[in-house]
Amino acid sequence: MDPTLSPSPPDLDLPTLKRVLEAALLTSSEPLALGDLKKLFDHDVGNEPLRKLLEELRTDWEGRSVELVSVASGWRFRAKPEFQKYLERLQPQKPPRYSRAVLETLAIIAYRQPVSRGDIEEVRGVSVSGNILKVLETRGWIEVVGHREVPGRPALYATTPAFLDDLNLRSLEELPPLDDLGSLVEEREGLQEATAETAARAD
Amino acid sequence: MDPTLSPSPPDLDLPTLKRVLEAALLTSSEPLALGDLKKLFDHDVGNEPLRKLLEELRTDWEGRSVELVSVASGWRFRAKPEFQKYLERLQPQKPPRYSRAVLETLAIIAYRQPVSRGDIEEVRGVSVSGNILKVLETRGWIEVVGHREVPGRPALYATTPAFLDDLNLRSLEELPPLDDLGSLVEEREGLQEATAETAARAD
Amino acid sequence: MNSAAQAPQETVPVSPLPPLARFRGEPLFELPRDLYIPPEALEVFLEAFEGPLDLLLYLIRKNNLDVLNIPMAELTRQYAEYVEAMRSGRLELAAEYLLMAALLVEIKSRMLLPLPVSSREEEDRDPRAELVRRLLEYERMKQAAQNLNQLPQLGRDFLPVLVWVDRAAAPRLPDVHPEDLRQAWLALIVRARAFQHHRVSREQLSVRERMSQVLRRLRGEGFLPFIELFEPVRGVPELVVTFLAILELSREGLIQVAQEAPYLPIYVRLAHGSDLIPLPA
């Protein structure tokens, strides 16, 4: 236990605090934010001591089959992916595998958010069925975050924190960077404009 | 690791077997029977080695906030009951409430102690079921401190130090004073409000 | 997209995606070089493409064409042949495919026209620019979709830990606040319409608390010396409260106070009728 964590809170000693944190994280089906974790205790545990305890817990669990990870909505325990090949044998049903249409729609929303259905259709060159958006909404990965102020007020979609959680990411910045297609793009007279525009949209 | 657990299974060493078992048990919401756990591995792990590994895991987890238990349908990890009071704070559930009868009985004992069941009935104007007193005794909030020397020698109830602790009081004198009740009751509106509120709280 | 697309070769692997289509049970990872598509497979081919942009990209990559310098005539011809093959298969062809065919023809025709002398600004504008921009953006998103799909995913590639909490093992007990007791008392008074009788002062409450304490102290004891019930260190008010409590207990017949003779020690005991314990000598 780190001695710099003093002053000790009035009603619980640090080892007990840590045990309570561990119990909460092991029994929660969702990641727990610092704010959630504070609710566990009567007295106010500061952010810094809490983070230190969480880091200690993470270290305690190193080398096990289960690890403590920090994702967009907070902290959670998960089984390491390398154990999935065993664990999936106990899974009664196979997890969903998404079609290309769903994955492309998700990618456009993730990288270009907030986007309307029309924006998605513009990129994909085909109409986007309501079903595709529903699959992603049901999974809790996308949500309507507003409406564009144009006729029809189309809904604007963005990804949710749960999307990042489920991919074990803390922020959109941790998404794989968009491929640099520069190697394909050779400067051509008359096409500089198009290239510049493409580059601008990639930002 | 117990050396008698040989022969080692062909594809996994015992520490890995144990890690897989632990991951399976930590990620399963249902108890896992030996038969389920065997499905994790390609080769046949005998019941005996499996039980030994489970016993080892149980010992490994001793003293933590979570324990490995064997129930009718198999093995599962569960939070120790003594940690539940913390974990419940993460649930936004409405806390249970005592009925009006229980609260009134407790109020009479708190303000008028030591009192007999007859005293309580006289104030409440209705009979007091033994169940109500039992709820409060089981909670550790009231106890029999003596008997009145009248026919039947009725038990006299008083509140306990635990009652003061749980209500965060240092002494009975810190209970809300009743002196100002007169003014409240005299006001017709206040009375109706109070009655309505009491009725609402009794629900 | 990948280096394979750059190198000249007979066929171009489409991607690490699942087979492009299945034809008579055999997975097809690439489209045939020629335009012959078995009629039974037309529908699956169509499904294999996510739309006209996808088909165009396929044609460009397959022919190892430069995206930025698309030979419109050739691309338009190939595209039109695919679309015609799909149409002759009497498939319900999505309107987007026909729209794209029209766009390709339009671009092709604009490239044939001489540029108007007056519009200097338009001079640099290649009619293909917008198509190229869309193709590149689509290809980028197509690749991003594959990259996303390769990230470990909850449920598919890893499981969350979920340890059971047995709610029944330690059921939650109701919380009671001092104010609840006051409210309960208030309700009683309102009901009895006799609050004057039940008015309890602070002093009385401390006496009643001490009464309980004295009873508790005497429980299981025989006679206890009177003075042992007092703790002088707690001050005079405490002594008075204790004395009042003993008087009240005695008045209510709850305790028995005994003194064998004047000036001898006073003893106190619970007023039990049955288990009489003799007064200490």
Side-chain angles (χ1 to χ4, degrees):
Chain A
M1 193 61 58
D2 188 329
T4 67
L5 284 177
S6 60
S8 174
D11 62 346
L12 288 179
D13 51 20
L14 283 173
T16 309
L17 271 180
K18 202 161 134 182
R19 288 287 151 256
V20 171
L21 282 181
E22 189 175 56
L25 290 161
L26 286 170
T27 56
S28 171
S29 54
E30 300 297 326
L32 295 173
L34 287 190
D36 299 321
L37 293 169
K38 283 181 173 183
K39 285 188 217 147
L40 290 165
F41 310 108
D42 280 329
H43 58 277
D44 186 35
V45 182
N47 280 350
E48 266 325 294
L50 212 49
R51 271 201 208 96
K52 278 203 175 181
L53 284 171
L54 288 164
E55 286 299 340
E56 277 188 27
L57 267 180
R58 166 143 65 188
T59 312
D60 295 347
W61 278 82
E62 269 169 16
R64 316 274 298 260
S65 52
V66 156
E67 61 185 344
L68 183 59
V69 293
S70 160
V71 294
S73 327
W75 293 73
R76 80 144 153 249
F77 277 107
R78 68 157 184 175
K80 288 183 183 159
E82 58 259 44
F83 287 86
Q84 187 69 9
K85 60 177 184 284
Y86 304 107
L87 304 184
E88 68 189 6
R89 301 180 188 190
L90 298 183
Q91 295 301 107
Q93 58 196 30
K94 296 281 158 246
R97 310 250 162 191
Y98 296 115
S99 67
R100 268 183 64 192
V102 169
L103 288 170
E104 286 180 12
T105 302
L106 179 62
I108 294 164
I109 297 173
Y111 285 94
R112 300 293 186 230
Q113 58 189 295
V115 288
S116 69
R117 189 156 153 179
D119 298 336
I120 301 167
E121 290 178 340
E122 154 92 21
V123 174
R124 296 194 60 229
V126 288
S127 69
V128 171
S129 77
N131 213 24
I132 288 177
L133 292 168
K134 199 159 178 197
V135 162
L136 292 169
E137 275 187 301
T138 308
R139 178 78 196 246
W141 281 359
I142 65 165
E143 62 184 344
V144 173
V145 291
H147 294 265
R148 186 168 287 149
E149 287 310 320
V150 294
R153 299 188 72 244
L156 290 172
Y157 293 90
T159 54
T160 62
F163 162 72
L164 294 172
D165 293 345
D166 285 1
L167 298 183
N168 208 45
L169 303 174
R170 273 173 301 185
S171 77
L172 285 173
E173 283 165 53
E174 290 185 356
L175 283 174
L178 285 178
D179 279 11
D180 181 12
L181 300 170
S183 61
L184 297 172
V185 180
E186 291 163 42
E187 288 299 310
R188 286 282 184 284
E189 284 296 323
L191 280 178
Q192 280 159 355
E193 233 177 292
T195 317
E197 193 179 347
T198 309
R201 289 172 71 94
D203 285 342
Chain B
M1 193 62 57
D2 188 329
T4 68
L5 282 178
S6 60
S8 174
D11 62 346
L12 288 179
D13 52 21
L14 284 173
T16 309
L17 271 180
K18 201 163 134 182
R19 288 289 153 251
V20 172
L21 282 180
E22 192 175 43
L25 288 160
L26 283 170
T27 54
S28 169
S29 51
E30 297 299 322
L32 295 173
L34 287 190
D36 299 321
L37 293 170
K38 282 181 173 183
K39 284 188 221 148
L40 290 165
F41 310 108
D42 281 328
H43 59 276
D44 186 35
V45 182
N47 280 351
E48 263 329 292
L50 213 49
R51 268 201 210 94
K52 278 203 173 181
L53 283 171
L54 288 164
E55 284 302 340
E56 277 187 29
L57 269 180
R58 166 144 65 188
T59 312
D60 294 348
W61 277 81
E62 269 169 16
R64 313 282 295 264
S65 53
V66 157
E67 60 190 343
L68 183 61
V69 294
S70 167
V71 295
S73 46
W75 292 73
R76 83 184 330 174
F77 277 106
R78 69 160 187 186
K80 284 190 184 157
E82 58 262 40
F83 284 88
Q84 275 188 48
K85 60 175 183 282
Y86 301 107
L87 305 183
E88 272 155 9
R89 300 180 186 185
L90 297 179
Q91 310 287 328
Q93 288 165 0
K94 248 179 104 180
R97 289 197 62 86
Y98 282 126
S99 68
R100 194 167 87 172
V102 170
L103 279 177
E104 286 181 6
T105 302
L106 183 60
I108 294 164
I109 296 174
Y111 283 107
R112 303 292 289 157
Q113 59 188 287
V115 289
S116 69
R117 186 157 152 178
D119 299 336
I120 301 167
E121 289 178 340
E122 193 184 312
V123 177
R124 289 199 62 223
V126 287
S127 69
V128 172
S129 78
N131 211 25
I132 289 176
L133 293 167
K134 197 160 176 196
V135 162
L136 293 169
E137 273 188 300
T138 309
R139 184 81 191 251
W141 282 358
I142 66 166
E143 64 180 342
V144 175
V145 290
H147 294 265
R148 186 167 287 145
E149 288 311 314
V150 295
R153 299 189 67 246
L156 291 170
Y157 293 91
T159 54
T160 62
F163 163 78
L164 294 175
D165 288 347
D166 287 355
L167 272 75
N168 211 20
L169 301 170
R170 274 168 302 182
S171 80
L172 283 178
E173 283 177 74
E174 289 187 0
L175 276 175
L178 303 175
D179 298 351
D180 56 342
L181 283 186
S183 58
L184 264 175
V185 176
E186 277 157 26
E187 272 186 50
R188 202 70 197 140
E189 284 189 13
L191 184 150
Q192 278 160 354
E193 257 175 46
T195 315
E197 191 184 348
T198 309
R201 291 167 78 94
D203 286 341
Chain C
M1 183 159 63
N2 51 37
S3 57
Q6 243 76 35
Q9 56 187 110
E10 272 301 292
T11 55
V12 177
V14 167
S15 68
L17 282 174
L20 201 52
R22 281 185 184 274
F23 177 53
R24 289 182 184 140
E26 292 298 308
L28 287 173
F29 287 96
E30 53 205 48
L31 288 178
R33 190 81 175 90
D34 58 55
L35 274 175
Y36 176 71
I37 302 169
E40 308 94 305
L42 263 179
E43 194 160 6
V44 283
F45 274 163
L46 187 56
E47 281 172 8
F49 289 109
E50 287 300 317
L53 284 174
D54 200 20
L55 176 57
L56 274 182
L57 264 183
Y58 168 75
L59 292 174
I60 289 166
R61 295 306 180 203
K62 185 187 73 160
N63 294 312
N64 197 24
L65 301 176
D66 182 349
V67 185
L68 297 185
N69 195 13
I70 303 168
M72 288 309 298
E74 179 60 18
L75 184 71
T76 308
R77 186 188 62 78
Q78 286 197 18
Y79 182 89
E81 283 176 25
Y82 268 98
V83 169
E84 189 46 47
M86 290 167 178
R87 274 168 60 110
S88 62
R90 270 173 282 130
L91 292 173
E92 197 187 313
L93 198 58
E96 295 100 344
Y97 283 90
L98 300 175
L99 193 67
M100 180 58 76
L103 178 70
L104 291 174
V105 171
E106 193 214 328
I107 295 172
K108 197 174 88 174
S109 58
R110 276 174 59 195
M111 289 181 76
L112 295 175
L113 291 174
L115 290 168
V117 184
S118 59
S119 61
R120 298 283 302 172
E121 281 178 27
E122 294 288 309
E123 211 172 50
D124 291 339
R125 183 156 287 165
D126 189 311
R128 296 170 296 182
E130 172 63 12
L131 179 64
V132 168
R133 185 195 64 75
R134 289 188 64 191
L135 282 169
L136 287 176
E137 172 69 358
Y138 176 66
E139 185 165 51
R140 196 187 281 260
M141 286 302 138
K142 192 174 149 180
Q143 187 61 43
Q146 286 183 38
N147 294 345
L148 268 187
N149 197 36
Q150 277 160 20
L151 288 180
Q153 209 177 84
L154 180 116
R156 190 188 69 183
D157 305 304
F158 63 89
L159 294 177
V161 164
L162 187 53
V163 166
W164 185 54
V165 180
D166 182 6
R167 305 276 168 209
R172 181 157 180 193
L173 295 170
D175 286 329
V176 172
H177 298 281
E179 184 56 26
D180 296 330
L181 297 180
R182 200 178 85 102
Q183 291 294 336
W185 190 262
L186 179 62
L188 284 169
I189 287 166
V190 168
R191 266 213 322 274
R193 294 168 185 271
F195 67 91
Q196 297 277 4
H197 283 300
H198 296 298
R199 185 176 260 174
V200 179
S201 69
R202 282 177 168 275
E203 289 75 17
Q204 278 176 304
L205 194 54
S206 66
V207 169
R208 302 213 76 85
E209 179 171 34
R210 188 55 48 85
M211 285 165 69
S212 291
Q213 284 167 359
V214 169
L215 287 177
R216 211 175 267 126
R217 177 85 174 82
L218 292 172
R219 195 169 49 186
E221 301 273 350
F223 277 105
L224 205 67
F226 178 72
I227 55 164
E228 282 192 18
L229 293 170
F230 295 89
E231 289 176 70
V233 288
R234 297 178 69 183
V236 173
E238 288 287 317
L239 294 178
V240 173
V241 165
T242 305
F243 187 65
L244 288 173
I246 292 170
L247 286 182
E248 181 64 20
L249 285 167
S250 176
R251 192 181 66 79
E252 292 185 21
L254 294 171
I255 58 169
Q256 192 183 334
V257 183
Q259 189 181 33
E260 286 208 26
Y263 305 114
L264 281 182
I266 300 169
Y267 287 90
V268 182
R269 50 160 279 179
L270 291 176
H272 282 195
S274 49
D275 50 345
L276 280 171
I277 299 161
L279 200 64

